PDB file of all heavy atoms in Angstrom:
ATOM      1  N   GLN A 105     157.839-209.242 110.272  1.00  0.00           N
ATOM      2  CA  GLN A 105     156.470-209.767 110.207  1.00  0.00           C
ATOM      3  C   GLN A 105     156.492-211.282 110.022  1.00  0.00           C
ATOM      4  O   GLN A 105     155.708-212.001 110.645  1.00  0.00           O
ATOM      5  CB  GLN A 105     155.694-209.111 109.067  1.00  0.00           C
ATOM      6  CG  GLN A 105     155.336-207.674 109.320  1.00  0.00           C
ATOM      7  CD  GLN A 105     154.671-207.020 108.122  1.00  0.00           C
ATOM      8  OE1 GLN A 105     154.378-207.645 107.111  1.00  0.00           O
ATOM      9  NE2 GLN A 105     154.432-205.713 108.230  1.00  0.00           N
ATOM     10  N   GLU A 106     157.388-211.763 109.172  1.00  0.00           N
ATOM     11  CA  GLU A 106     157.529-213.199 108.949  1.00  0.00           C
ATOM     12  C   GLU A 106     157.928-213.906 110.240  1.00  0.00           C
ATOM     13  O   GLU A 106     157.424-214.986 110.552  1.00  0.00           O
ATOM     14  CB  GLU A 106     158.574-213.444 107.865  1.00  0.00           C
ATOM     15  CG  GLU A 106     158.799-214.892 107.517  1.00  0.00           C
ATOM     16  CD  GLU A 106     159.909-215.041 106.490  1.00  0.00           C
ATOM     17  OE1 GLU A 106     159.783-214.459 105.392  1.00  0.00           O
ATOM     18  OE2 GLU A 106     160.892-215.733 106.798  1.00  0.00           O
ATOM     19  N   GLY A 107     158.819-213.294 111.005  1.00  0.00           N
ATOM     20  CA  GLY A 107     159.243-213.873 112.281  1.00  0.00           C
ATOM     21  C   GLY A 107     158.092-213.973 113.265  1.00  0.00           C
ATOM     22  O   GLY A 107     157.953-214.975 113.968  1.00  0.00           O
ATOM     23  N   GLU A 108     157.261-212.934 113.309  1.00  0.00           N
ATOM     24  CA  GLU A 108     156.101-212.962 114.193  1.00  0.00           C
ATOM     25  C   GLU A 108     155.156-214.093 113.806  1.00  0.00           C
ATOM     26  O   GLU A 108     154.622-214.794 114.670  1.00  0.00           O
ATOM     27  CB  GLU A 108     155.374-211.616 114.159  1.00  0.00           C
ATOM     28  CG  GLU A 108     156.160-210.507 114.829  1.00  0.00           C
ATOM     29  CD  GLU A 108     155.564-209.126 114.585  1.00  0.00           C
ATOM     30  OE1 GLU A 108     154.457-209.017 114.020  1.00  0.00           O
ATOM     31  OE2 GLU A 108     156.235-208.140 114.966  1.00  0.00           O
ATOM     32  N   GLU A 109     154.969-214.286 112.516  1.00  0.00           N
ATOM     33  CA  GLU A 109     154.111-215.378 112.044  1.00  0.00           C
ATOM     34  C   GLU A 109     154.743-216.737 112.347  1.00  0.00           C
ATOM     35  O   GLU A 109     154.066-217.674 112.767  1.00  0.00           O
ATOM     36  CB  GLU A 109     153.855-215.248 110.548  1.00  0.00           C
ATOM     37  CG  GLU A 109     153.007-214.048 110.182  1.00  0.00           C
ATOM     38  CD  GLU A 109     152.974-213.780 108.675  1.00  0.00           C
ATOM     39  OE1 GLU A 109     153.429-214.637 107.889  1.00  0.00           O
ATOM     40  OE2 GLU A 109     152.489-212.701 108.293  1.00  0.00           O
ATOM     41  N   LYS A 110     156.039-216.857 112.132  1.00  0.00           N
ATOM     42  CA  LYS A 110     156.753-218.125 112.323  1.00  0.00           C
ATOM     43  C   LYS A 110     156.786-218.545 113.787  1.00  0.00           C
ATOM     44  O   LYS A 110     156.551-219.705 114.118  1.00  0.00           O
ATOM     45  CB  LYS A 110     158.178-218.011 111.780  1.00  0.00           C
ATOM     46  CG  LYS A 110     159.019-219.251 111.973  1.00  0.00           C
ATOM     47  CD  LYS A 110     160.394-219.077 111.371  1.00  0.00           C
ATOM     48  CE  LYS A 110     161.240-220.330 111.553  1.00  0.00           C
ATOM     49  NZ  LYS A 110     162.549-220.181 110.912  1.00  0.00           N
ATOM     50  N   TYR A 111     157.103-217.594 114.676  1.00  0.00           N
ATOM     51  CA  TYR A 111     157.299-217.938 116.073  1.00  0.00           C
ATOM     52  C   TYR A 111     156.033-217.868 116.911  1.00  0.00           C
ATOM     53  O   TYR A 111     155.995-218.396 118.013  1.00  0.00           O
ATOM     54  CB  TYR A 111     158.389-217.059 116.685  1.00  0.00           C
ATOM     55  CG  TYR A 111     159.754-217.322 116.085  1.00  0.00           C
ATOM     56  CD1 TYR A 111     160.473-216.309 115.502  1.00  0.00           C
ATOM     57  CD2 TYR A 111     160.304-218.596 116.093  1.00  0.00           C
ATOM     58  CE1 TYR A 111     161.730-216.544 114.952  1.00  0.00           C
ATOM     59  CE2 TYR A 111     161.552-218.842 115.550  1.00  0.00           C
ATOM     60  CZ  TYR A 111     162.256-217.814 114.983  1.00  0.00           C
ATOM     61  OH  TYR A 111     163.486-218.050 114.444  1.00  0.00           O
ATOM     62  N   GLY A 112     155.006-217.213 116.418  1.00  0.00           N
ATOM     63  CA  GLY A 112     153.734-217.190 117.121  1.00  0.00           C
ATOM     64  C   GLY A 112     153.747-216.369 118.391  1.00  0.00           C
ATOM     65  O   GLY A 112     154.566-215.470 118.570  1.00  0.00           O
ATOM     66  N   ASP A 113     152.839-216.726 119.306  1.00  0.00           N
ATOM     67  CA  ASP A 113     152.637-215.943 120.528  1.00  0.00           C
ATOM     68  C   ASP A 113     153.801-216.066 121.513  1.00  0.00           C
ATOM     69  O   ASP A 113     154.118-215.123 122.212  1.00  0.00           O
ATOM     70  CB  ASP A 113     151.328-216.359 121.219  1.00  0.00           C
ATOM     71  CG  ASP A 113     150.104-215.965 120.404  1.00  0.00           C
ATOM     72  OD1 ASP A 113     150.198-215.000 119.621  1.00  0.00           O
ATOM     73  OD2 ASP A 113     149.068-216.631 120.553  1.00  0.00           O
ATOM     74  N   ASP A 114     154.407-217.235 121.604  1.00  0.00           N
ATOM     75  CA  ASP A 114     155.511-217.422 122.545  1.00  0.00           C
ATOM     76  C   ASP A 114     156.832-217.383 121.786  1.00  0.00           C
ATOM     77  O   ASP A 114     157.514-218.392 121.617  1.00  0.00           O
ATOM     78  CB  ASP A 114     155.351-218.742 123.303  1.00  0.00           C
ATOM     79  CG  ASP A 114     156.291-218.837 124.500  1.00  0.00           C
ATOM     80  OD1 ASP A 114     157.105-217.914 124.706  1.00  0.00           O
ATOM     81  OD2 ASP A 114     156.220-219.837 125.222  1.00  0.00           O
ATOM     82  N   GLN A 115     157.176-216.196 121.319  1.00  0.00           N
ATOM     83  CA  GLN A 115     158.363-216.031 120.496  1.00  0.00           C
ATOM     84  C   GLN A 115     159.636-216.411 121.239  1.00  0.00           C
ATOM     85  O   GLN A 115     160.531-217.020 120.670  1.00  0.00           O
ATOM     86  CB  GLN A 115     158.462-214.592 119.991  1.00  0.00           C
ATOM     87  CG  GLN A 115     157.429-214.278 118.948  1.00  0.00           C
ATOM     88  CD  GLN A 115     157.690-212.938 118.283  1.00  0.00           C
ATOM     89  OE1 GLN A 115     158.747-212.358 118.405  1.00  0.00           O
ATOM     90  NE2 GLN A 115     156.691-212.452 117.575  1.00  0.00           N
ATOM     91  N   GLU A 116     159.721-216.070 122.511  1.00  0.00           N
ATOM     92  CA  GLU A 116     160.928-216.361 123.286  1.00  0.00           C
ATOM     93  C   GLU A 116     161.206-217.867 123.322  1.00  0.00           C
ATOM     94  O   GLU A 116     162.321-218.305 123.038  1.00  0.00           O
ATOM     95  CB  GLU A 116     160.789-215.810 124.709  1.00  0.00           C
ATOM     96  CG  GLU A 116     162.021-215.969 125.555  1.00  0.00           C
ATOM     97  CD  GLU A 116     163.166-215.053 125.161  1.00  0.00           C
ATOM     98  OE1 GLU A 116     162.923-214.039 124.483  1.00  0.00           O
ATOM     99  OE2 GLU A 116     164.312-215.362 125.527  1.00  0.00           O
ATOM    100  N   ALA A 118     159.999-220.194 121.298  1.00  0.00           N
ATOM    101  CA  ALA A 118     160.230-220.697 119.938  1.00  0.00           C
ATOM    102  C   ALA A 118     161.642-220.368 119.465  1.00  0.00           C
ATOM    103  O   ALA A 118     162.304-221.199 118.833  1.00  0.00           O
ATOM    104  CB  ALA A 118     159.189-220.112 118.990  1.00  0.00           C
TER     105      ALA A 118
END
Side-chain angles (χ1 to χ4, degrees):
Q105 289 175 5
E106 181 183 302
E108 290 170 8
E109 292 169 11
K110 178 178 181 177
Y111 294 123
D113 292 334
D114 193 357
Q115 289 190 14
E116 184 72 20

